[in-house]
Amino acid sequence: MNNTIIIAQRAYDYTSVSVNNISRACKEIQEFSLHCNNITELCNSMDTPTICNVLSLLLAGNLSLVKDLSLGKRTELEDAFQILLSDILLNAKKCGIMAQRIGEMTARAKK
């Protein structure tokens, strides 16, 4: 499903965030995530440039969007971050359920 995030009057379309982009973004937020219990706490613990870096990594896979994203308000950036991260976690949960069901289908009873 295509989604659009608007930051500083610019629209950013995204579909599914790639594993490589997630990995790059995780390296950026690694030190912040150690002491956070939820997405809101994680977002509040980061400064604005870090959020811009993470969003750029998630959307583009590199830091090419940082300058444009930095023009956005803090609330826009936080909302976009929370939306993207929530979508990623939801997709991961769906993949986990599918993997579990496939495992159950292929499981064999012991004799």
Side-chain angles (χ1 to χ4, degrees), residues 30-47:
Q30 185 175 4
E31 65 185 71
F32 300 102
S33 64
L34 297 174
H35 306 289
C36 300
N37 296 319
N38 56 48
I39 296 172
T40 305
E41 285 182 15
L42 177 61
C43 198
N44 290 336
S45 69
M46 293 187 294
D47 57 357

Side-chain angles (χ1 to χ4, degrees), residues 62-81:
N62 55 43
L63 298 175
S64 63
L65 300 176
V66 171
K67 184 177 178 182
D68 293 337
L69 292 170
S70 66
L71 300 174
K73 296 178 184 174
R74 174 75 184 201
T75 55
E76 291 176 318
L77 298 171
E78 288 176 354
D79 290 346
F81 176 76

Side-chain angles (χ1 to χ4, degrees), residues 52-98:
C52 291
N53 289 350
V54 171
L55 287 173
S56 182
L57 290 168
L58 289 172
L59 294 170
N62 55 43
L63 298 175
S64 63
L65 300 176
V66 171
K67 184 177 178 182
D68 293 337
L69 292 170
S70 66
L71 300 174
K73 296 178 184 174
R74 174 75 184 201
T75 55
E76 291 176 318
L77 298 171
E78 288 176 354
D79 290 346
F81 176 76
Q82 290 182 5
I83 289 168
L84 281 171
L85 205 55
S86 295
D87 285 350
I88 291 167
L89 294 174
L90 180 62
N91 287 335
K93 182 179 179 181
K94 287 179 184 178
C95 288
I97 291 169
M98 286 186 341

